[in-house]
Amino acid sequence: MRQDEIWDADTARRYDTPGVGMFADDVLGPTVARLAELAGDGAALEFAIGTGRVAVPLARRGVPVTGIELSRPMLAELRRKADEATIPVVVGDMATAEAPGRFALVYVVFNSISNLLTQAEQVACFRNAARHVVPRGRFVVELGVPELRKLPPGQTALVFHDEPGYLGVDTYDVLNQQLVSHHVTYDDSRQGRVSRSPQRYIWPSELDLMAQLAGFDLETRHADWHGAPFTAESPSHVSVYRLANA
């Protein structure tokens, strides 16, 4: 599936879930607070800005935010919240598109870097971040840790979430380092709805090598936006890279 097929108008309309899930205050609040701290007095650039889940509250905190976004339907939802003067956005691929200016902080959150389906594209994303940051600027990546330890031999699928009305299943292709997230929503009728998103998963050590290729050094890695220690059991991480060539 192409990314423009996944992030279509229907998905964009259903993406925002105000107050719950990834839009819950206890999820979004620490994210925005940490990014504002890292941006300091400088400007920020968000790769895959989407509907503005993070960018809108970050801009409200006084951080000038620019975005890059491939999906025009997602951008249309963002425009319901903030105009071009408030949050300018370049339509394009986060691995190659260029935004005007230089930024203290570039960030990509909620596993969005894994939407780039090849290692080469993911390395290009790091290099694109390096082109956009000021000397000693930072690139922040929020990303899940692959759950391959949970896969018994011969099994290729894992249920990652199960609640009334929703079932989430990841299917893995471990040979090619690919997974597809299947999101099934249903009600009391016999009808259900399935959406899918393919990803290329990245190990933390591989992510660090991508960073080195682009001229970044790992500055910090935590298990979440609160700053909890990252351990072997952490399901995700927030990694902060700093440009080394200055």
Side-chain angles (χ1 to χ4, degrees):
M1 296 182 67
R2 301 193 313 267
Q3 292 299 323
D4 58 350
E5 295 175 325
I6 299 166
W7 307 105
D8 58 11
D10 183 60
T11 300
R13 283 192 299 269
R14 296 184 292 108
Y15 189 81
D16 287 12
T17 55
V20 298
M22 60 180 171
F23 286 82
D25 290 342
D26 61 344
V27 174
L28 193 51
T31 304
V32 172
R34 178 62 173 147
L35 290 172
E37 177 187 4
L38 290 170
D41 296 329
L45 172 64
E46 180 171 359
F47 286 172
I49 194 171
T51 67
R53 178 183 73 96
V54 173
V56 170
L58 185 60
R60 288 174 180 159
R61 289 184 66 122
V63 178
V65 181
T66 298
I68 291 176
E69 175 56 47
L70 183 64
S71 167
R72 291 183 182 276
M74 295 288 277
L75 178 55
E77 294 300 316
L78 168 58
R79 285 292 167 250
R80 299 177 190 272
K81 310 169 192 176
D83 60 21
E84 178 71 15
T86 304
I87 301 179
V89 177
V90 173
V91 177
D93 190 320
M94 60 182 160
T96 57
E98 293 189 31
R102 290 295 178 264
F103 303 86
L105 176 69
V106 178
Y107 65 93
V108 56
V109 296
F110 212 71
N111 301 323
S112 293
I113 194 171
S114 64
N115 292 336
L116 298 169
L117 299 180
T118 69
Q119 186 183 70
E121 290 176 307
Q122 292 167 348
V123 170
C125 182
F126 270 88
R127 287 178 170 149
N128 201 26
R131 284 192 291 270
H132 282 91
V133 294
V134 299
R136 300 295 293 161
R138 293 181 171 96
F139 182 37
V140 178
V141 181
E142 179 188 19
L143 188 61
V145 177
E147 296 190 300
L148 298 189
R149 289 193 302 166
K150 294 183 179 180
L151 277 176
Q155 182 173 314
T156 60
L158 286 173
V159 175
F160 65 83
H161 196 82
D162 179 15
E163 65 179 50
Y166 176 77
L167 179 67
V169 179
D170 283 337
T171 54
Y172 285 83
D173 174 357
V174 296
L175 179 62
N176 296 299
Q177 207 164 311
Q178 303 281 324
L179 71 85
V180 179
S181 293
H182 307 259
H183 308 277
V184 183
T185 54
Y186 58 91
D187 54 27
D188 292 334
S189 72
R190 294 187 177 185
Q191 302 298 313
R193 182 187 190 96
V194 181
S195 61
R196 299 177 178 89
S197 57
Q199 302 161 60
R200 181 186 186 273
Y201 59 83
I202 316 169
W203 297 102
S205 56
E206 183 187 9
L207 199 72
D208 293 348
L209 182 56
M210 292 180 183
Q212 290 179 35
L213 292 173
F216 287 104
D217 290 330
L218 178 66
E219 185 173 59
T220 63
R221 171 169 290 137
H222 294 100
D224 56 30
W225 293 100
H226 293 278
F230 179 74
T231 72
E233 306 304 319
S234 299
S236 62
H237 59 95
V238 176
S239 295
V240 179
Y241 298 97
R242 195 154 197 180
L243 197 64
N245 60 351

